Amino acid sequence: GAGVSQSPSNKVTEKGKDVELRCDPISGHTALYWYRQSLGQGLEFLIYFQGNSAPDKSGLPSDRFSAERTGGSVSTLTIQRTQQEDSAVYLCASSYLAANYGYTFGSGTRLTVV
Amino acid sequence: AQKITQTQPGMFVQEKEAVTLDCTYDTSDPSYGLFWYKQPSSGEMIFLIYQGSYDQQNATEGRYSLNFQKARKSANLVISASQLGDSAMYFCAMRDELISNFGNEKLTFGTGTRLTIIP
């Protein structure tokens, strides 16, 4: 597609339930990043993919968070046993190697845990 | 570790005036890149401008320019002739550009400045 697509755009879930967030990057972009933006805060790095491998998972806040990428394309971020502090906007970005123009971001998934 | 500091949580500027958004950074990396992103109310992050740490000249992109002062570790964004559509959150970010870390262009972001342009 022309841009980075994320789904769903909004998700409300009950505390304790699992959620899956999807990111469809720009075709041909080998690098994919997940970030989290809590209300009024900057972006917090979660995980980086190069192709299907994740050489940097240093930002995942707990073992309830996991992510995978298949076919060097679509990525899924899974949060198990959601907590209220997981409420945030989850942003995905993709890039073609060391692009000076930075990444292309998606519009994000707003997750609300009630 | 890298750190970005944006000390202006909010700014109000009259339309058509120039505005400077402050950004200071801290890093021990000898090679790095600095970015500015705009986030309108729609939520999408829009890339504005990039400055490499070894670039001799300040970066410019249309009405945007980056006032890079390496010794002071500052990378302020200047928007000339502000427009109503410039109202948004603005984030400063940086990444390590060491060859050894090539391939992981992870960005570290500041907390942002909310800019409001007044008609």
Side-chain angles (χ1 to χ4, degrees):
Chain A
V4 178
S5 177
Q6 291 189 247
S7 60
S9 54
N10 279 285
K11 176 72 176 178
V12 180
T13 189
E14 292 181 352
K15 178 181 172 181
K17 295 284 181 68
D18 297 351
V19 295
E20 285 190 352
L21 313 179
R22 176 189 168 105
C23 172
D24 199 344
I26 291 174
S27 178
H29 278 192
T30 56
L32 186 147
Y33 303 79
W34 283 98
Y35 282 83
R36 178 169 73 173
Q37 186 176 24
S38 301
L39 188 63
Q41 300 296 312
L43 277 69
E44 173 191 7
F45 168 78
L46 297 178
I47 187 169
Y48 154 68
F49 285 93
Q50 183 61 244
N52 289 338
S53 65
D56 190 348
K57 306 179 183 179
S58 62
L60 294 178
S62 75
D63 58 7
R64 297 187 295 106
F65 287 73
S66 63
E68 65 175 11
R69 189 180 185 192
T70 55
S73 181
V74 172
S75 176
T76 303
L77 176 69
T78 301
I79 308 173
Q80 296 179 310
R81 304 181 303 280
T82 52
Q83 303 294 314
Q84 288 187 331
E85 60 263 28
D86 300 334
S87 295
V89 176
Y90 289 81
L91 288 159
C92 174
S94 69
S95 74
Y96 182 69
L97 293 180
N100 284 353
Y101 50 82
Y103 321 140
T104 301
F105 279 86
S107 295
T109 294
R110 181 175 298 277
L111 175 66
T112 305
V113 182
V114 297
Chain B
Q2 299 174 334
K3 184 177 181 180
I4 295 283
T5 302
Q6 294 181 256
T7 58
Q8 306 153 310
M11 287 187 70
F12 291 84
V13 174
Q14 203 74 37
E15 188 180 7
K16 299 181 184 177
E17 288 186 352
V19 56
T20 297
L21 304 181
D22 294 341
C23 172
T24 58
Y25 61 91
D26 191 20
T27 182
S28 57
D29 298 325
S31 179
Y32 51 90
L34 296 155
F35 296 79
W36 278 91
Y37 281 85
K38 173 184 179 181
Q39 188 179 43
S41 56
S42 60
E44 192 164 348
M45 296 288 284
I46 302 168
F47 166 75
L48 296 179
I49 197 166
Y50 163 84
Q51 178 86 42
S53 59
Y54 286 106
D55 291 344
Q56 295 298 313
Q57 294 190 332
N58 287 344
T60 60
E61 290 286 347
R63 293 188 299 113
Y64 305 108
S65 60
L66 199 152
N67 183 2
F68 180 46
Q69 298 186 45
K70 193 171 183 177
R72 297 180 62 183
K73 294 190 174 180
S74 75
N76 297 342
L77 176 71
V78 180
I79 306 173
S80 62
S82 58
Q83 303 170 356
L84 295 179
D86 294 334
S87 294
M89 281 290 288
Y90 287 81
F91 291 96
C92 181
M94 72 180 303
R95 74 180 179 197
D96 168 16
E97 293 188 346
L98 286 174
I99 295 295
S100 58
N101 290 333
F102 181 76
N104 184 353
E105 282 74 50
K106 173 172 69 179
L107 290 175
T108 299
F109 285 84
T111 52
T113 296
R114 180 171 298 282
L115 176 64
T116 302
I117 306 299
I118 305 166

